[in-house]
Amino acid sequence: MLSTFWRMLRADIKSNKLQFGMIWSVLVLSAMLLLISLLMLNSTNDPWNRTFEETNGPHLWVVSHEYDLDFTPLIEDPAVSQTTGVMMALAENPMVIGDEKYNIYLYGMDTPPPVAHPLLAAGRWLDPNTPDEVVLDFSLANFYDIQVGDSITILAAEGEQDLTVVGFAVTAHWFPYNEVTKDVSPGVGYISQDTLSAIQPNPDYWYSVLGLRLNDPETSQEFSGQVFDELPIHHGTQFSREFLKDLSTVGLIIFNTIGGQVLSQYRSIGLLKAIGFKPRQVTAIFLFEHLAIGFFASLVGIALGLAVAPYLVNTLAENLNTTPPNIYAAAPIILVVLLVELTVAIATLIPAWQGGKIDTVQAITVGYRQHHHRTSKLAQLASWLHMPTIIRMGIKDTFSRPLRTVLAIFSLLLTVLVAMTAIGSQTTINFLANNRVYFNGTSADMKVMRNFVPAEFVEDQILSEPQVIDYYEESDLWGQAPGFSEQPLAVRILRGAYQNFDFQIKEGRMISSPDEAVVGFAVLDLIGAAVGDTVEIQADGHPLTLEIVGRNAENYNMSNVVMISSETYLEQVGIDIAPMSYNLKLADNSMAEDLRKEWLEKSQGELTVSVVTEEPLASVLQLNSLIISLATILMVVAGANLMSTSLLSIRERVRDFGIQKAIGFTPNQIAISVVVSAVTISIVALLLGITLGLKLMAWFISQVGIQIGSGPDFYIIDWGGMSLLLPILVLLAIFSSLLPAVRAARLQVVDALRYE
């Protein structure tokens, strides 16, 4: 029996080289796409949770401005199972690269603690006996191309201090450091306590930090409320928190291709039955044949996938600040083979078993003749519109095999949905990448941070500069909403002419008088409030009663932001808080870089001066390339599926073409009818895809907007990009059907009529 299987496989491939070549191509491309999708899914499958488990992450962080705060009540609480121990940290000593300064949070950590111990990715840990060493966060080092053994400079209280980088580490309690997060979430490094004391000798500038693991993580929110009741915490507590369409599309494409191939071989099934094969033997022959092709094709597809995957997977891992999965791991490779073989088996068994049970004479003389006898609605419409006969014939023949046509349309429909989602995501991401108001929280041209420079210096040397035509001051504090202390809120305290600057107000208006606030969507969602409500929050431990007059969208702290005026803080708290940064508007924006250099020289490098640009972010471009790469591969697979469908249709309609030629149809007309049939499938799939895709895309991107705190009105529909889908799909259909159309046009009438 096995020899019979192999002989039939060789004979079928020899007699139908092109058809089996298309099946091979579809299976190879499908296996490649499956492997890439699985590897990327593995990268995105709870990367935070994986890192959290590996680092024994804390369920709760407690941070205080008081370096000598007694945390004993928390450490000895029976609800606490493990702690990091009290650690000191610095938050106001930026890293200096050239003449730029970048915020960095430095932990005093002689040895990795039992809880929240950083996961060493390269190099070694600190040597407590060797001063001036640092272990940097992996994503921070990768972003600035810092290598183990390099030196970095930290702005210390008494000048600059150089540290030697001895290792890189990954942690679960900081955002990945990239162009999107670098201005809103500082990088992180680990230094010894002696080095920390050398950088900042004054302990009043230290933070005390404690990480807690609880016996019952579900009680984190309740426990955090207890922390605020028992301890004078002013900074806040924080919880450590947390592509399958491709797979279904590939499955449908494989099912359509293999199933159609079996249906086109009903005469072979009849001949096998005529020489004594039973239905189960017929089914076994076709199953073996296609499983063998699927197995070898999946191996080739896996090899291609492994060649392409490193760039895509490594890029995604960098953006998620996690280590990339081992692309050569056995599990995903075996799973790809099993998925391909399972889909091939199902697509083969159903039609082969049905073919094995039909009458032998019918199978030999008629073959698979489950034609759709009624004219389709689309063909009726073409007739009503008096389209040319050849166009009507092509549309009619599209639905002569309804099941296969529906499968082809549905598989292409999923491709359209993926493409639309990719276009919508890319458009939204690109818009935000170039939206400096969203990523900087303001329309200012430049931002100056004082660091250790007196406010008087900034006022005298910078704000008096003729090029500075407007500015406002800002101070940032951390706070929380009562009852929701697990989520830190960034409180932006504005002073001066902030009304003259643009903010991303999505609803309501900007603050204009005391006791008003503009908040991010994430804040409204957290506390269940709406614009117009009066709410209470705490800022640096001080209660504030605020009327929400607007909703703002910005990247800072995932839109967990509350903006108030300095008058509000002064009236309700009684503290005239000193400005920490200055947002400037220039008369001539082209002078920004010259001014930055001048001000850095005046301050002897102690200021942080940044120029706001509108260049696309590299990390966003990387994510876009991932989306485009997957959509392109899927489009290629869809094109191969269309070509395979056209070839199968031609193989089944050889006699029909012979009759059409006999009554006067020219080769060009035959070819056009084949192309029209493929184009019809594409257009139907596109129309259905646009109808479903607009809702799906809007829902998908709005959910992304909600997750990142920007709100449900986060998405942008790019009608220009959507309109390109029509010519792309039509061209795809034309190119995919050209070869089958040429084969149909070249059929000889005598051979075609003799085919049956």
Side-chain angles (χ1 to χ4, degrees):
M1 181 64 74
L2 186 60
S3 61
T4 303
F5 291 166
W6 284 113
R7 284 199 300 271
M8 184 172 178
L9 175 59
R10 289 196 298 271
D12 282 344
I13 292 176
K14 186 176 180 180
S15 59
N16 299 289
K17 294 186 182 69
L18 183 58
Q19 184 61 51
F20 275 91
M22 288 309 306
I23 292 175
W24 172 270
S25 300
V26 168
L27 292 175
V28 166
L29 291 171
S30 298
M32 180 179 72
L33 184 58
L34 279 172
L35 180 64
I36 292 173
S37 298
L38 286 172
L39 290 173
M40 295 185 70
L41 188 63
N42 191 24
S43 292
T44 59
N45 185 22
D46 290 333
W48 181 88
N49 283 330
R50 287 189 283 116
T51 306
F52 184 83
E53 293 301 324
E54 292 177 0
T55 59
N56 196 33
H59 301 119
L60 196 71
W61 280 105
V62 183
V63 184
S64 174
H65 282 309
E66 298 182 22
Y67 74 94
D68 57 353
L69 183 65
D70 184 9
F71 286 101
T72 303
L74 295 182
I75 296 173
E76 296 181 351
D77 193 293
V80 175
S81 60
Q82 284 182 294
T83 77
T84 58
V86 180
M87 300 180 293
M88 298 296 111
L90 297 176
E92 300 172 358
N93 298 80
M95 178 174 63
V96 182
I97 299 179
D99 55 8
E100 292 281 8
K101 296 173 186 64
Y102 304 97
N103 291 338
I104 188 169
Y105 197 91
L106 297 171
Y107 285 95
M109 193 180 290
D110 290 344
T111 58
V115 173
H117 54 265
L119 188 65
L120 203 61
R124 62 171 175 82
W125 193 253
L126 305 167
D127 180 356
N129 298 318
T130 304
D132 301 335
E133 291 185 343
V134 63
V135 172
L136 288 180
D137 173 73
F138 173 75
S139 62
L140 172 70
N142 183 70
F143 183 79
Y144 292 114
D145 195 25
I146 300 172
Q147 307 298 322
V148 173
D150 290 352
S151 292
I152 65 168
T153 301
I154 300 296
L155 183 61
E158 299 177 359
E160 296 181 350
Q161 184 161 338
D162 293 333
L163 304 178
T164 302
V165 179
V166 297
F168 304 144
V170 174
T171 186
H173 56 276
W174 285 94
F175 286 114
Y177 193 92
N178 53 45
E179 284 182 304
V180 175
T181 61
K182 69 183 182 68
D183 294 324
V184 296
S185 179
V188 61
Y190 308 94
I191 57 179
S192 67
Q193 182 60 44
D194 288 344
T195 302
L196 184 146
S197 300
I199 293 173
Q200 179 50 266
N202 186 351
D204 290 337
Y205 287 92
W206 298 356
Y207 288 84
S208 56
V209 183
L210 178 68
L212 307 173
R213 282 188 68 88
L214 306 180
N215 293 314
D216 182 6
E218 298 299 324
T219 63
S220 294
Q221 184 167 342
E222 177 184 343
F223 192 85
S224 67
Q226 175 186 332
V227 171
F228 279 97
D229 292 338
E230 295 182 357
L231 294 176
I233 302 296
H234 300 307
H235 183 60
T237 62
Q238 179 181 351
F239 288 138
S240 301
R241 53 185 100 145
E242 356 208 337
F243 290 115
L244 286 175
K245 286 181 196 168
D246 291 346
L247 307 183
S248 57
T249 306
V250 167
L252 273 173
I253 289 174
I254 294 175
F255 192 89
N256 184 41
T257 303
I258 299 296
Q261 167 68 7
V262 176
L263 290 176
S264 70
Q265 292 181 279
Y266 266 31
R267 292 181 184 83
S268 298
I269 293 174
L271 292 173
L272 288 172
K273 292 186 69 177
I275 62 176
F277 280 79
K278 297 179 180 180
R280 66 174 180 273
Q281 293 173 316
V282 171
T283 303
I285 287 175
F286 281 94
L287 183 61
F288 173 82
E289 180 178 291
H290 292 109
L291 286 178
I293 294 173
F295 177 75
F296 291 110
S298 62
L299 294 182
V300 175
I302 287 170
L304 292 176
L306 291 176
V308 175
Y311 165 74
L312 300 175
V313 173
N314 291 343
T315 299
L316 187 60
E318 288 177 12
N319 278 274
L320 295 174
N321 195 29
T322 186
T323 53
N326 177 16
I327 65 170
Y328 301 105
I333 293 175
I334 294 173
L335 184 57
V336 167
V337 175
L338 292 178
L339 286 173
V340 171
E341 293 291 69
L342 178 62
T343 309
V344 167
I346 295 173
T348 303
L349 283 172
I350 296 174
W353 181 253
Q354 291 176 342
K357 293 192 296 181
I358 68 170
D359 181 77
T360 302
V361 175
Q362 177 189 348
I364 295 175
T365 59
V366 181
Y368 179 68
R369 283 296 187 184
Q370 294 183 12
H371 291 274
H372 193 59
H373 298 292
R374 292 190 304 170
T375 304
S376 68
K377 297 293 184 183
L378 205 57
Q380 292 177 16
L381 177 63
S383 179
W384 183 76
L385 293 173
H386 301 291
M387 289 184 175
T389 302
I390 197 65
I391 301 294
R392 298 203 303 268
M393 186 179 72
I395 294 175
K396 178 182 70 66
D397 289 341
T398 301
F399 296 93
S400 61
R401 271 77 176 177
L403 178 60
R404 182 184 307 161
T405 301
V406 169
L407 286 174
I409 289 174
F410 197 56
S411 60
L412 195 58
L413 167 64
L414 290 178
T415 303
V416 171
L417 293 178
V418 171
M420 290 185 67
T421 305
I423 291 172
S425 301
Q426 183 185 28
T427 303
T428 302
I429 290 172
N430 281 338
F431 171 77
L432 292 176
N434 292 281
N435 186 339
R436 67 177 185 178
V437 177
Y438 176 77
F439 278 105
N440 295 281
T442 178
S443 60
D445 297 317
M446 297 183 71
K447 184 173 184 177
V448 177
M449 297 184 64
R450 287 197 301 114
N451 300 321
F452 300 106
V453 176
E456 293 76 17
F457 176 89
V458 177
E459 295 169 1
D460 295 340
Q461 300 295 324
I462 294 177
L463 301 183
S464 60
E465 168 68 44
Q467 278 292 331
V468 178
I469 59 174
D470 213 343
Y471 70 92
Y472 72 90
E473 304 164 353
E474 183 171 337
S475 301
D476 295 336
L477 299 176
W478 288 100
Q480 58 281 320
F484 300 95
S485 54
E486 73 279 4
Q487 174 58 61
L489 304 180
V491 182
R492 297 177 59 189
I493 303 176
L494 312 182
R495 180 204 306 261
Y498 54 85
Q499 293 283 358
N500 298 335
F501 290 74
D502 293 331
F503 297 83
Q504 193 98 356
I505 305 296
K506 306 291 285 187
E507 183 183 357
R509 60 174 174 81
M510 188 58 182
I511 55 177
S512 59
S513 60
D515 304 329
E516 293 182 344
V518 167
V519 304
F521 174 84
V523 178
L524 297 177
D525 188 50
L526 176 71
I527 62 178
V531 173
D533 291 350
T534 298
V535 300
E536 291 187 2
I537 68 162
Q538 288 187 344
D540 204 27
H542 302 290
L544 297 171
T545 301
L546 305 169
E547 179 189 358
I548 301 174
V549 297
R551 172 168 68 88
N552 188 45
E554 61 179 286
N555 188 53
Y556 186 43
N557 199 37
M558 303 289 279
S559 273
N560 286 288
V561 175
V562 177
M563 288 194 294
I564 63 174
S565 66
S566 58
E567 291 84 1
T568 297
Y569 197 77
L570 177 60
E571 286 185 10
Q572 296 198 29
V573 178
I575 298 176
D576 187 12
I577 191 167
M580 298 165 56
S581 61
Y582 303 81
N583 296 275
L584 316 178
K585 185 181 295 185
L586 303 181
D588 182 2
N589 195 32
S590 64
M591 295 292 295
E593 187 60 33
D594 291 336
L595 291 172
R596 186 184 72 86
K597 294 177 180 178
E598 177 186 336
W599 295 341
L600 286 173
E601 184 177 349
K602 285 182 178 180
S603 67
Q604 298 181 338
E606 293 192 353
L607 289 174
T608 299
V609 184
S610 56
V611 177
V612 178
T613 64
E614 296 185 359
E615 296 178 0
L617 304 176
S619 56
V620 171
L621 296 178
Q622 287 178 335
L623 291 175
N624 277 344
S625 70
L626 297 181
I627 295 172
I628 293 171
S629 298
L630 288 176
T632 301
I633 294 172
L634 189 58
M635 199 68 77
V636 171
V637 177
N641 178 53
L642 271 177
M643 184 179 291
S644 178
T645 300
S646 298
L647 286 171
L648 288 171
S649 178
I650 290 169
R651 183 173 174 181
E652 293 172 347
R653 294 166 51 206
V654 169
R655 184 175 175 82
D656 295 341
F657 291 137
I659 294 172
Q660 290 166 4
K661 281 194 169 185
I663 62 175
F665 280 86
T666 65
N668 284 341
Q669 289 176 315
I670 297 294
I672 290 172
S673 71
V674 174
V675 173
V676 167
S677 181
V679 171
T680 301
I681 290 175
S682 297
I683 292 177
V684 172
L686 178 62
L687 293 176
L688 292 174
I690 289 176
T691 303
L692 296 174
L694 288 176
K695 292 184 178 180
L696 179 65
M697 180 193 66
W699 175 85
F700 173 76
I701 302 177
S702 67
Q703 291 303 304
V704 173
I706 291 173
Q707 290 298 315
I708 67 173
S710 296
D713 47 2
F714 173 74
Y715 65 92
I716 297 167
I717 297 178
D718 179 13
W719 294 109
M722 298 300 173
S723 65
L724 292 177
L725 283 176
L726 176 59
I728 288 174
L729 282 178
V730 170
L731 288 174
L732 181 68
I734 292 173
F735 282 116
S736 300
S737 59
L738 277 179
L739 181 57
V742 171
R743 286 173 62 88
R746 289 179 177 175
L747 287 172
Q748 299 299 315
V749 176
V750 175
D751 295 333
L753 294 176
R754 190 189 299 130
Y755 182 75
E756 294 189 1

